[in-house]
Amino acid sequence: MQNIRYPIEGVIYHERARARAWLDNGTWQQRTVGQLLHATARRCGERQAIITEQGSVTFVQLDEQTERLAAALLKLGLKPGDRAIFQMGTTLETVIALLACYKAGIVPVCSLPQHRELEIGQLVRQSGARGYFVQADFGTFDLVAFAQRMMSDHAGLTQLVVARGDSSAGNDMRALIEGMPFARAQTIVAENAPGCEDVLAFQLSGGTTGIPKIIPRFHAEYIAHSLACAKNYQLGEDDRFIWALPLLHNAAQVYVLMPVIAMGVSAVLMPRVDVPLMLTLIERYRVTRAISIGPIAPQLMAYSELAQHDLSSLRLFITMSAAERLEEHLRIPCSNLFGITEGLLLGSPASAAPYIRHKTQGRSGCADDEIRLLAPGTEVQVEAGQMGELCFRGPATIPGFFDAQEANAQAYTSEGFYRTGDMMIERIVDGQSYYSFEGRLRDNINRGGEKIGCEEVEALVSAHHAISEARLVAMPDPIYGEKGCVFVTVRPGYAAPTVHELMLFLVEKGLAKYKCPERVEVVEAFPVTKVGKLDKMMLRRMIADLLNREARQGTEENNDKY
């Protein structure tokens, strides 16, 4: 019998026989996140769980506060299986809100504080969300007022929970916790707790279109997925993480939050990337593990005061790429990673050979994961050493996107392997397969870990009165890895908008600011391939060549000054 207490229409659950086998052989955990936190709190007690500059909690405190909030949310009228939009940053309050929802069976929709009308409107409609969690003091944008506007536009949103600020428009999160006695909370939560195969969270795909696909993740598989990764990295209970990127991301939860809950490791959280502060906190709290999925590694390599910080506690720094150069700079072991929300994590520990850590993204920590590299557009497997599209299936692979029949029909091979659109090469080392990332097939931009769907932005840019057509491509960036450059053709009698003018136009349309193009290039016509199709590869080469010429010019001009 399935351990699903609150089935959600539109969710594709794992095939029954496989789920049973994974539970029986320990590949999945037969516990929920709430049950694991109870057990870890009993074992680790007064050990610090989450550390921030604004306050910290022990495991006992974390378990109690999340229990009380979980019960208070249920008393508000939210029910197990209900979905809740999250627009919160990397704070202690976000941890408590997330874990409270996990305990209550309320499903967080893991959006970002930077999302605006387009993204949030789509997510509310897609997910059928009833709850809304916001952080009042996130930057200068008034998220509380924004949430009120979204609730007035979407009648299904019924409960607003506000953290860290004026809650007159909704329910104050701290007041909800303080108003719920712990003993009563335990009874309420126990009566409503989800099963281990229930949906834990709705994560978001970094897809190529403007409609983000929703990825259901489940208690049993998500916990096991994270623990397999932790084992692959040789993580121990005495380890301590530091994390400065969005906490709602899949990466934050599988690499950091789940190990905290399941293993009793601790984590230092920073609300934003600040390299000098990060190094100070590593030294102060004797951090052992750091992760860069985005701009942190390039900023570290550009930081000139590194020698002022004691980083001797660090055992491993994990990064998306450039591990070799980062290791030379930090003089501690560094390794590349690969992770995808649809269910595969690759990595290698500090003990791995430098070639594996630096020249590949490592391997999966789950023995039941199956990986194939296929010739693009086919189901033909390429040989080791040849480039192919990464496809995988296993205990953590999503069985399907939420309520997305058309996308699901295209996302898998005939044998159920998920097609990533990422190109890799298999490297055989001592009889073991490792995988190196070579590029992407799909049309998106990875700006410091945030995926930008090109079609969404192109459609909005093309609505500008001065532009007849627009094509967005990735351009290289030393800090973020990639940024967006939009090539445009201009209508007769008009001038192309500046980057700032275009940003104001797109934000007014409801686009998140981080998705706005950061360079505008005018062309008379777009390049095409021999068969007459748009040649985006040529556009990427054009902007890369232009940036290289500008860099050389800048160097020559600087040299002329001396």
Side-chain angles (χ1 to χ4, degrees):
M1 182 178 178
Q2 288 178 298
N3 193 352
I4 302 172
R5 292 194 65 190
Y6 306 106
I8 297 173
E9 186 178 354
V11 169
I12 298 174
Y13 292 86
H14 288 268
E15 194 270 324
R16 183 71 238 126
R18 286 190 176 186
R20 187 76 267 155
W22 289 328
L23 285 166
D24 289 344
N25 68 17
T27 304
W28 278 9
Q29 289 276 317
Q30 297 199 42
R31 292 183 288 181
T32 65
V33 168
Q35 290 169 332
L36 273 175
L37 181 52
H38 292 329
T40 302
R42 288 193 297 270
R43 187 180 75 253
C44 298
E46 297 303 318
R47 181 187 303 167
Q48 286 184 312
I50 304 295
I51 301 165
T52 75
E53 290 289 90
Q54 290 77 38
S56 304
V57 290
T58 66
F59 281 97
V60 167
Q61 291 169 332
L62 184 61
D63 190 35
E64 178 177 333
Q65 290 187 36
T66 54
E67 195 86 354
R68 293 166 70 181
L69 180 57
L73 295 173
L74 293 169
K75 294 300 289 183
L76 274 181
L78 292 173
K79 299 176 182 178
D82 280 348
R83 278 75 76 192
I85 300 291
F86 264 69
Q87 287 196 279
M88 300 181 72
T90 302
T91 67
L92 176 58
E93 288 79 6
T94 307
V95 173
I96 292 170
L98 277 173
L99 295 177
C101 285
Y102 293 161
K103 284 185 172 184
I106 298 164
V107 179
V109 181
C110 296
S111 52
L112 294 173
Q114 294 89 346
H115 284 159
R116 295 296 179 259
E117 288 88 350
L118 283 177
E119 296 89 359
I120 297 301
Q122 289 168 350
L123 290 173
V124 172
R125 289 188 292 272
Q126 282 180 261
S127 68
R130 292 188 63 232
Y132 203 152
F133 288 74
V134 296
Q135 177 182 322
D137 65 347
F138 187 89
T140 57
F141 184 75
D142 190 342
L143 274 173
V144 178
F146 174 72
Q148 287 181 278
R149 294 200 302 273
M150 297 307 295
M151 293 181 77
S152 67
D153 291 341
H154 300 276
L157 290 170
T158 60
Q159 296 294 341
L160 176 61
V161 179
V162 180
R164 298 171 63 94
D166 181 11
S167 60
S168 57
N171 301 283
D172 181 85
M173 191 178 111
R174 179 52 52 187
L176 289 175
I177 295 171
E178 292 175 353
M180 173 59 65
F182 184 44
R184 186 181 179 209
Q186 289 175 301
T187 301
I188 294 171
V189 173
E191 290 172 351
N192 293 275
C196 70
E197 294 180 71
D198 271 308
V199 176
L200 173 76
F202 275 0
Q203 284 286 349
L204 305 183
S205 166
T208 60
T209 69
I211 303 174
K213 296 187 289 292
I214 290 175
I215 301 171
R217 300 304 298 261
F218 308 88
H219 286 261
E221 61 87 5
Y222 205 58
I223 296 164
H225 183 51
S226 179
L227 289 175
C229 177
K231 183 178 179 181
N232 192 27
Y233 281 117
Q234 300 172 351
L235 191 68
E237 198 172 279
D238 64 336
D239 272 304
R240 176 167 286 171
F241 281 98
I242 192 163
W243 185 264
L245 298 166
L247 193 60
L248 292 164
H249 273 181
N250 176 69
Q253 299 195 46
V254 292
Y255 287 121
V256 181
L257 187 58
M258 289 299 119
V260 169
I261 302 312
M263 297 179 62
V265 302
S266 62
V268 179
L269 302 183
M270 298 176 58
R272 64 187 61 83
V273 176
D274 181 332
V275 165
L277 178 59
M278 171 181 275
L279 298 175
T280 299
L281 296 178
I282 289 172
E283 183 175 353
R284 180 186 305 165
Y285 294 112
R286 307 305 294 161
V287 169
T288 65
R289 308 269 176 155
I291 305 176
S292 167
I293 300 177
I296 297 174
Q299 290 185 30
L300 272 170
M301 287 188 281
Y303 183 60
S304 60
E305 306 298 327
L306 190 66
Q308 295 183 8
H309 301 276
D310 176 11
L311 305 183
S312 60
S313 63
L314 272 179
R315 300 169 185 169
L316 181 66
F317 200 112
I318 308 167
T319 182
M320 287 181 68
S321 60
E324 185 172 16
R325 289 191 292 123
L326 187 62
E327 185 167 316
E328 289 175 358
H329 188 67
L330 297 179
R331 300 190 182 279
I332 61 164
C334 298
S335 66
N336 292 326
L337 64 81
F338 173 87
I340 186 168
T341 311
E342 287 82 352
L344 181 68
L345 300 174
L346 305 178
S348 53
S351 62
Y355 175 84
I356 293 169
R357 288 188 286 107
H358 299 159
K359 303 301 181 183
T360 81
Q361 269 58 42
R363 65 186 184 92
S364 171
C366 177
D368 285 4
D369 276 339
E370 300 176 73
I371 297 175
R372 291 181 184 174
L373 302 186
L374 305 180
T378 77
E379 296 196 15
V380 178
Q381 193 163 355
V382 303
E383 296 181 3
Q386 294 185 348
M387 192 185 306
E389 181 188 6
L390 173 69
C391 303
F392 64 89
R393 70 180 181 188
T397 306
I398 61 161
F401 296 106
F402 174 69
D403 197 22
Q405 187 174 354
E406 184 177 342
N408 288 331
Q410 301 172 2
Y412 299 87
T413 71
S414 62
E415 295 182 272
F417 283 77
Y418 178 75
R419 294 184 176 275
T420 66
D422 293 308
M423 299 298 288
M424 292 217 174
I425 294 176
E426 181 184 12
R427 314 284 186 181
I428 309 294
V429 181
D430 296 331
Q432 180 65 252
S433 293
Y434 300 87
Y435 299 88
S436 60
F437 178 77
E438 302 295 328
R440 289 191 305 276
L441 284 173
R442 294 179 178 170
D443 192 12
N444 62 17
I445 295 167
N446 188 342
R447 186 188 188 277
E450 299 292 354
K451 302 294 177 59
I452 301 170
C454 292
E455 290 181 17
E456 172 190 25
V457 179
E458 289 168 352
L460 290 173
V461 172
S462 296
H464 191 280
H465 67 275
I467 294 172
S468 58
E469 196 173 3
R471 291 292 179 261
L472 185 70
V473 298
M475 62 178 176
D477 183 79
I479 300 299
Y480 290 91
E482 294 177 348
K483 287 183 177 179
C485 171
V486 66
F487 285 85
V488 299
T489 55
V490 179
R491 293 176 61 195
Y494 288 91
T498 65
V499 169
H500 182 69
E501 289 168 345
L502 185 58
M503 181 271 291
L504 293 177
F505 171 79
L506 295 174
V507 169
E508 177 67 24
K509 292 286 186 182
L511 189 70
K513 189 175 179 180
Y514 74 87
K515 295 183 180 180
C516 295
E518 292 171 81
R519 182 159 179 148
V520 177
E521 289 294 328
V522 178
V523 292
E524 291 186 6
F526 295 109
V528 294
T529 65
K530 292 179 180 179
V531 294
K533 293 186 177 181
L534 174 72
D535 192 346
K536 276 205 164 181
M537 186 71 73
M538 176 60 73
L539 290 177
R540 286 191 284 270
R541 284 199 296 268
M542 287 167 59
I543 186 58
D545 290 344
L546 182 57
L547 291 171
N548 286 334
R549 288 198 301 273
E550 289 174 352
R552 287 195 299 270
Q553 228 171 8
T555 301
E556 292 168 1
E557 289 174 0
N558 285 335
N559 289 340
D560 289 343
K561 295 177 182 178
Y562 297 96

